[in-house]
Amino acid sequence: MQIEIKPPYLLFLGDEPERSHAKTAVGIAHWRPELCVGQLRLPGSGVDLGFPDMAPADAAAAGAQSLIWGVAGVGGLIPEHWIASLFAAVDAGLDIVAGTHSSLSEIPGLADAANKAGVRLVDIRNPPTDLPIGSGEQRSGRRLLMVGTDCVVGKKFSALAIAKEMSCRGMNCDFRATGQTGIMIAGGGLPIDAVVSDFVSGAAEMLSPENDADHWDVIEGQGSLYHPGYAAVTLGLLHGSQPDGFVICHEAGRTMIEAFPGFQLPTIPQLIEQTIAAGRVTSPDIQCVGISLNTSTLPAKDRAEYLAKISDALGLPCVDPVATGVGPIVDYIVATFD
Amino acid sequence: MQIEIKPPYLLFLGDEPERSHAKTAVGIAHWRPELCVGQLRLPGSGVDLGFPDMAPADAAAAGAQSLIWGVAGVGGLIPEHWIASLFAAVDAGLDIVAGTHSSLSEIPGLADAANKAGVRLVDIRNPPTDLPIGSGEQRSGRRLLMVGTDCVVGKKFSALAIAKEMSCRGMNCDFRATGQTGIMIAGGGLPIDAVVSDFVSGAAEMLSPENDADHWDVIEGQGSLYHPGYAAVTLGLLHGSQPDGFVICHEAGRTMIEAFPGFQLPTIPQLIEQTIAAGRVTSPDIQCVGISLNTSTLPAKDRAEYLAKISDALGLPCVDPVATGVGPIVDYIVATFD
C-alpha cells in the first residue's frame, strides 16, 4: 500500500515568517490549488498563499479532510505554540499529515486524541511495512523517470511540469511522488529513500503499477547515480520504475555534488550512458527523451543559445521547465512512443 | 556501531536432521573453529560438527559467552521444543545470537529473562539505528570487495578464503561481513540489505573504517548490479566500501539470475566494466584483481582448462576457491598494490 492523503486540504502555515520555509505549502498551492480549501495561519505569519484563512472547524465544515503541515519548522521540530492547532484539527475530524523530523506521535496526548476522533496521524517519512522485493516483471503502461546529475536540480518540478503538460493535452497520466513534498502534492506516494535497501526496487514497482497501455506514470526521481551518499536509492528507483523514457535534470553551471566536496557531477552524455547501462537490466529499450535544465543562474539573454546548443549536441529536446515550459519534451515523447 | 558478537560460542543445532539446514553452524565450524567451545544438540539431531556436546551451563563454565543459533528452522520459525534451551542459555549467562525470521523477542518471557540475567538477545537481522549517510571521503587502508554476477555465487566463501590466505601470509587484514552467516563467522558486521536505502553507503563506510595503510578489509559482497531486486544494496555497498580492488564471483555455467526468470547474467567483462564505471564515483582507481568461480557443476577434468581460458582472456587470475585455492588472487594483489 502506498501512503494516501485524503483531500481536500487545510494548509497549516503556523507563524512562519519566511515563504522559503513554507516550501511544501507553496508547492501544493502552486501545483494543486484545487485540493486546498483554506490556510491556517497564526499571528506573525509572513506567508499568504491566497486561500481563505480558516480555523480547523471551519475548514472541516467546508469539507476539508486533512490538515497539511506545510512548513519546515526550525530543525524539523514542532514549535510548542503550534501544537494547539494540531489538537484543534484532530478535534475537528481532520487527519494530520506531516513529514517533520520530530514525529507527531511524540506530542503527548495527540495520538490518543486522534484515536478518539477516528482520524489519522500520517507521517509521510514512514514507508509502509508490507513492501515486496522487486520482481523485475514487465508490466503494461508507460513510465517516465526523472534522472538527476545531483540532488536539488529540479527533478520534482520537471516531473510535475511534464505531468501537467500531458494532462493539458488530454494524455492519460499520473505524477508519482517519491519524496515528502511530492507526496503532499500528489496526495500519495512512497518516501523511497526511507525504504530498506532490499525493497527499494519493489517499492518503486508498487508506486508505478501496471496500467493502461497508453497511460504514463511520470515519476519523481531521487538522488543521482553519481552521488556518494544516495546512489543506492537512485538505482533501486531506476530498476523498479522500469522506465520507457527518462529525462535528465540538471542545474546549469553546477559542476560539483552539492555539500560533498570533491565529487564532480557527471556530464550529461555520461549520465545518459550510465543510466541506460544500469536501467537496461529491467527496461531493455530505455531511452533518454529530453533534458530539463534550471538555467536561473545564467543571464536570461544567454538561455536560448545555451539550451539550443545542448539540444543540437544530443539530438534531444532541451528545456528550462520554468522559463520555456516542457512542451518540447512532451512533443518528443508523443512522437517517439506513438 | 556495528553488531558485535561475544566469543567464544556454543553452537546450537537443535534436533535438525540435515547438515544442509545447519549452514550457519557449519560455516562457523569451518572458518572459525577456534571460536567454538561446544555444540548443543537435542535428541534426533543429525548434525555433528565435532565439538564436545554441552549444555549451556557446561559451556558457560568452559568460557562460552554466546549461544549461536546455527540452524535454519522450518520457515525461519523457532520450534516450540527448542525454546527450553534458549532459556537455559540465558540462565547460564549466555547471549543468544540469531537471525531467524521470527524474532527472539517474540518468545514469551525470554526478553525478561535476558534482562534479569544481564545478557543480550542479538538479532543479527537488525542493523543499528545510528548509521550515517555516506560521505564518500577518502580513508586510509586498502579494501577488497567481492562482486557477484548474481546472489549465491560464492561471494562470502571467496572473501573468507582470501582473508584466510592473506592471514596465512602474515598480511594485516580483516574479513568484513555484510550478511547473516558472515556476521556469525566474523563475530560482527552489518546486515547491509536491511539498512534503509539512504544509509547503505554510510553503513558500508562504517563497516570498513580507516585503517593502517597496509591493512586490507576483505568485504563480503551482496546481490548483483544486474539483479532486478537487489542492485540498490549492491551499489550502496560498492560506493561505501570504496574498494581499491574487486573480485568477480560467479558460478560456472549459470546464465540466468536465480529465481528471476528472464533475467540474464552479465558476462564477466560486462560486470567488470560496469563495476568500474559505478565504483569510480568513490574509488577513482578501482580495478578488478581476479575472478573466483564455483566450478562444481563442471567435470573435474575440464576445470583447469576452463579457468586458464578465462584467465588468459582477461589477463587476471582466475581460481575456484574450493578446488584451487585463492593463492593466485592474493599473489596478484601483492604484486599490484605493493
Side-chain angles (χ1 to χ4, degrees), chain B residues 232-245:
Chain B
V233 180
T234 310
L235 182 61
L237 180 59
L238 174 58
H239 279 176
S241 296
Q242 296 180 15
D244 300 276

Side-chain angles (χ1 to χ4, degrees), chain B residues 295-328:
Chain B
T295 62
S296 61
T297 56
L298 300 183
K301 66 177 178 51
D302 298 342
R303 183 187 303 127
E305 191 187 333
Y306 180 82
L307 296 176
K309 203 171 142 190
I310 293 174
S311 179
D312 288 348
L314 298 172
L316 290 165
C318 182
V319 305
D320 179 319
V322 174
T324 72
V326 295

